[in-house]
Amino acid sequence: MKVVRPEWLVDSAAQGVLLPWQDFIYTPPDRTDATQGRKARPLHTAELSSTTPSYASHDSNPFAQRAMAKPEWRNAHTSVAPDFIQGYYKNSRLHHLSTWKAELKDLVQEAQVRAESAEASGKVAAEEDAATAGGVSMRGVEFVMRSPTKGKGKAKEMPEDRVIMHCDFDCFFVSAGLLKRPELKGKPVVVCHSQGAQGGGGSTSEIASCSYEAREFGIKNGMSLQQARKLCPTILTMPYEFELYVFSTVFALSEWRNRYKQLSLQFYTVLMSHAEDLQAVSVDEALIEVTKTVNRLRAKAKITVDPAKEFAETIRAQVKRATGCEVSIGISHNILLSRLATRKAKPAGSYHLMEVDAQAFIAPLTISDLHGFGRSAKEKAVEKLGTACLGELANKSRAALCDALGKATGDTLYNAIRGIDDKILESDKPRKSVSCEINYGIRFESNEQAEVFVRQMATEVRKRLDDAQMLGRSITVKVMKRDPTAPVEPPKVCFY
Ligand code: DCP
């Protein structure tokens, strides 16, 4: 595939002719690929072993290798297939989850605008039956926000008097599946593609969600079924519920419904009825501000009662009635602490993390337990500061953290260790980008095939921009390539 430097466009435009692209080939400094650019420098064995990532120790998946050897299979199931992009997204649960998240954010924003203008004119916004809206998309649904906060971020309350709740379904996909399989409640269950004994001990099927009973065996979301079976040979599997055929005896009506979408809309409908502000985090998770309500309850409550926790339990009960599923709620005066409180609240509970307890709660945790800090921050901290434990990092100066992790991350971490977080809920943050990214099943044998595919991706991005009613100003192109030491066929197979 041709990858050229931007000067190709700039110089061509300046000279008024399309200059030969070969003079502008982009060559990354560490290129080891022989297909274009500077010639590859052979890697020495010592260099290879020091940079070999763990996945490279796997061999190519033998099923994938056999399938890929057949041209007709390759033509039908990889990026050269004419309908590959549609098929890829139709079958990608992560795509559905990220699309719903974007749609929920839009719906929340629209509801806020409507509520504020309706309030001003004395009108009440119309409420649709969110739960029965058809199709895969969430668009077309209308939320009603009952008590929006005006002048966001300028509330009269002191930061420590704010009340933020982090509401999250417990093992969302599993809970959704258990609704029609109550006999599996209390058992180690996972949701994945392989069912029953299918997939065998070598199954690469990924676990999307696992019950809390399965977690007791060390099973986690994202693990392969093969690994899970090693930890718990009697593990039970449940299918996804993206498409569910529903027959209503009342209306003699049958239709395809998406259980996750239905539950998510019911959950958001309950939260919207209480939230002064709401940030949609994902299909099964949201942050709400309920400062005014809790302060009102506080004024009337007995000294022995925690009105914030009582209110959280009311919300949990309402969601349970609406969905049949458990959500857990973490409560505190900022986003960071309410997210951490949810760890203790789960499963099926609520927990109020008070300011006085925050540092002791945080001390035994590690950097990657904090939202927004990943593996790389953890590795840097261990390498440069000798530890990733937050209790130990509490003894380091702000300057030491900034030197090791960079100014922004260091500052945020210094505050987080002390339970300080001044972020406000992002309910009205406009969407900044629309993208199409595919990192699976990409196999080309010629430049022409790659060019056709890039055009198809561009069409997909345009469609998404149209759906979101947005225009773009700049384009970022991301090209990923296989690590030269990784197996040609990854451990996970592209079988759809
Ligand atoms: N999900 C997925 N694949 C993953 C992780 C998650 O498909 N690797 C889906 C299924 C999950 C849902 O997203 O049910 C929500 O993810 P969470 O990370 O919130 O995990 P759970 O809801 O399953 O469990 P928890 O109770 O820890 O929130």
Side-chain angles (χ1 to χ4, degrees):
M1 178 170 193
K2 297 172 210 151
V3 181
V4 293
R5 286 178 282 115
E7 289 82 17
W8 179 49
L9 288 178
V10 178
D11 293 1
S12 296
Q15 295 185 31
V17 287
L18 202 56
L19 296 169
W21 64 270
Q22 289 84 348
D23 296 344
F24 295 86
I25 288 174
Y26 169 67
T27 316
D30 58 348
R31 171 167 289 285
T32 53
D33 186 342
T35 56
Q36 72 161 25
R38 203 192 315 143
K39 273 198 175 165
R41 181 172 61 89
L43 282 177
H44 298 297
T45 323
E47 258 179 308
L48 264 181
S49 59
S50 68
T51 57
T52 305
S54 58
Y55 55 79
S57 61
H58 294 282
D59 292 330
S60 282
N61 183 302
F63 300 105
Q65 235 173 353
R66 272 202 296 278
M68 286 290 182
K70 296 181 201 142
E72 63 284 7
W73 194 92
R74 253 194 346 258
N75 290 341
H77 295 94
T78 68
S79 49
V80 293
D83 53 357
F84 179 76
I85 294 184
Q86 292 91 310
Y88 176 85
Y89 283 119
K90 185 163 171 272
N91 289 296
S92 164
R93 69 180 197 281
L94 299 181
H95 164 67
H96 286 305
L97 292 172
S98 70
T99 306
W100 287 338
K101 174 178 165 176
E103 290 177 352
L104 283 165
K105 279 179 181 286
D106 287 349
L107 293 175
V108 169
Q109 208 179 340
E110 284 162 21
Q112 235 159 3
V113 171
R114 252 196 329 271
E116 287 182 4
S117 57
E119 203 177 54
S121 62
K123 281 189 215 140
V124 178
E127 190 167 14
E128 282 187 9
D129 181 2
T132 54
V136 173
S137 169
M138 298 219 179
R139 291 191 192 284
V141 174
E142 224 173 64
F143 286 140
V144 174
M145 183 163 225
R146 299 203 192 278
S147 45
T149 308
K150 284 191 172 175
K152 211 164 120 61
K154 294 183 193 145
K156 286 198 301 297
E157 290 78 14
M158 298 296 285
E160 59 278 10
D161 291 333
R162 288 173 62 205
V163 185
I164 308 289
M165 292 187 178
H166 176 236
C167 313
D168 188 13
F169 272 90
D170 292 336
C171 47
F172 183 44
F173 282 15
V174 166
S175 304
L178 290 177
L179 288 174
K180 60 173 188 189
R181 300 174 188 83
E183 70 284 2
L184 299 185
K185 274 191 183 158
K187 300 197 169 148
V189 194
V190 297
V191 169
C192 60
H193 277 298
S194 296
Q195 293 305 303
Q198 224 186 50
S203 175
T204 60
S205 182
E206 188 178 307
I207 291 171
S209 182
C210 52
S211 68
Y212 279 77
E213 291 76 13
R215 292 177 202 205
E216 282 169 22
F217 291 86
I219 295 171
K220 295 191 173 106
N221 291 0
M223 211 177 235
S224 71
L225 182 58
Q226 174 186 20
Q227 282 173 291
R229 284 210 174 114
K230 277 189 197 139
L231 295 168
C232 172
T234 55
I235 193 81
L236 299 161
T237 55
M238 280 194 305
Y240 288 94
E241 307 245 337
F242 278 110
E243 282 185 339
L244 195 70
Y245 199 61
V246 180
F247 182 74
S248 158
T249 44
V250 182
F251 302 109
L253 188 86
S254 49
E255 60 173 332
W256 286 102
R257 273 214 205 143
N258 184 305
R259 175 91 79 187
Y260 307 130
K261 174 186 145 185
Q262 180 190 1
L263 294 174
S264 179
L265 291 174
Q266 287 164 333
F267 167 66
Y268 270 86
T269 301
V270 172
L271 298 187
M272 291 293 281
S273 70
H274 297 296
E276 291 145 31
D277 199 3
L278 186 151
Q279 176 180 332
V281 178
S282 73
V283 66
D284 76 326
E285 185 183 347
L287 285 155
I288 55 173
E289 168 140 17
V290 285
T291 304
K292 284 187 194 159
T293 308
V294 172
N295 282 344
R296 259 199 314 274
L297 294 171
R298 213 170 254 156
K300 292 190 248 159
K302 290 190 198 131
I303 198 98
T304 49
V305 170
D306 176 1
K309 185 159 165 64
E310 286 212 329
F311 189 43
E313 286 300 322
T314 306
I315 295 177
R316 284 195 348 94
Q318 288 180 0
V319 176
K320 178 84 196 269
R321 259 200 309 280
T323 64
C325 298
E326 295 286 357
V327 295
S328 292
I329 300 185
I331 316 156
S332 201
H333 57 278
N334 65 34
I335 297 177
L336 166 91
L337 295 178
S338 63
R339 279 182 185 280
L340 289 177
T342 309
R343 298 165 66 97
K344 185 139 176 181
K346 276 179 175 283
S350 59
Y351 179 69
H352 190 167
L353 178 52
M354 304 287 186
E355 198 184 3
V356 287
D357 303 322
Q359 289 212 39
F361 190 93
I362 290 171
L365 307 178
T366 62
I367 288 191
S368 47
D369 291 322
L370 296 174
H371 182 78
F373 290 83
R375 205 175 53 191
S376 121
K378 185 175 173 182
E379 284 170 1
K380 265 194 208 160
V382 172
E383 187 194 319
K384 299 187 176 165
L385 300 162
T387 180
C389 169
L390 298 179
E392 290 172 25
L393 290 171
N395 302 321
K396 309 278 177 196
S397 67
R398 186 188 283 271
L401 297 185
C402 291
D403 278 351
L405 305 168
K407 170 92 178 86
T409 311
D411 270 337
T412 312
L413 181 63
Y414 183 84
N415 290 335
I417 292 169
R418 287 154 185 81
I420 301 167
D421 175 24
D422 53 14
K423 279 202 275 315
I424 56 168
L425 297 193
E426 292 177 350
S427 53
D428 49 7
K429 198 172 165 188
R431 191 168 174 184
K432 292 241 179 73
S433 65
V434 171
S435 66
C436 161
E437 181 170 328
I438 301 184
N439 59 3
Y440 205 55
I442 305 294
R443 300 289 184 280
F444 300 123
E445 288 172 345
S446 66
N447 266 341
E448 286 67 37
Q449 286 179 341
E451 278 173 20
V452 168
F453 189 69
V454 169
R455 276 179 210 285
Q456 288 169 346
M457 284 185 91
T459 307
E460 178 67 25
V461 174
R462 194 195 59 204
K463 182 179 161 296
R464 290 179 188 200
L465 276 167
D466 286 348
D467 287 349
Q469 298 180 330
M470 293 182 86
L471 291 172
R473 197 173 47 189
S474 62
I475 300 176
T476 303
V477 179
K478 192 155 115 188
V479 182
M480 288 188 278
K481 55 179 271 196
R482 180 176 62 87
D483 186 296
T485 59
V488 173
E489 300 308 335
K492 202 174 159 199
V493 203
C494 169
F495 275 153
Y496 49 72

